[in-house]
Amino acid sequence: MAEHAACQEVVELVSDYLEQSLPPGEASLFEQHVNFCDGCDWYLDQMRSTVATVGRLTEHDVPDETRERLLSAFREWRRE
Ligand SMILES: [Zn+2]
């Protein structure tokens, strides 16, 4: 995971992560990132409760609008 694209990659990988279909190396990079990144930690929480509610998650379950809002929130966080 490249440092600069990390948050966006986390957003893209979160459904794979929750379905445990990430290779172990990527899963641990993912966890490392989430541990120090509040934005992605929050996002993961949201997705986890979505999965708990809906039972399953695909990338398409996240509306474009929500995704856009999250990604711009990440950009805000990173500026601080
Ligand atoms: Zn992040």
Side-chain angles (χ1 to χ4, degrees):
M1 253 181 234
E3 201 184 323
H4 296 293
C7 287
Q8 184 158 5
E9 285 179 60
V10 164
V11 170
E12 281 164 9
L13 292 174
V14 73
S15 56
D16 287 343
Y17 176 75
L18 289 172
E19 288 174 359
Q20 302 182 331
S21 57
L22 284 183
E26 277 189 48
S28 67
L29 283 172
F30 182 100
E31 281 162 3
Q32 273 172 36
H33 181 93
V34 168
N35 280 340
F36 71 74
C37 181
D38 287 347
C40 291
D41 187 36
W42 177 84
Y43 184 72
L44 179 60
D45 263 12
Q46 299 301 301
M47 291 303 108
R48 206 174 253 146
S49 37
T50 304
V51 172
T53 311
V54 180
R56 193 174 185 284
L57 180 74
T58 70
E59 224 171 273
H60 309 288
D61 293 330
V62 185
D64 285 348
E65 198 192 327
T66 307
R67 207 178 160 89
E68 268 312 300
R69 208 180 309 137
L70 282 164
L71 288 173
S72 65
F74 288 143
R75 284 190 283 269
E76 293 296 317
W77 274 312
R78 212 179 305 171
R79 218 174 288 146
E80 283 169 9

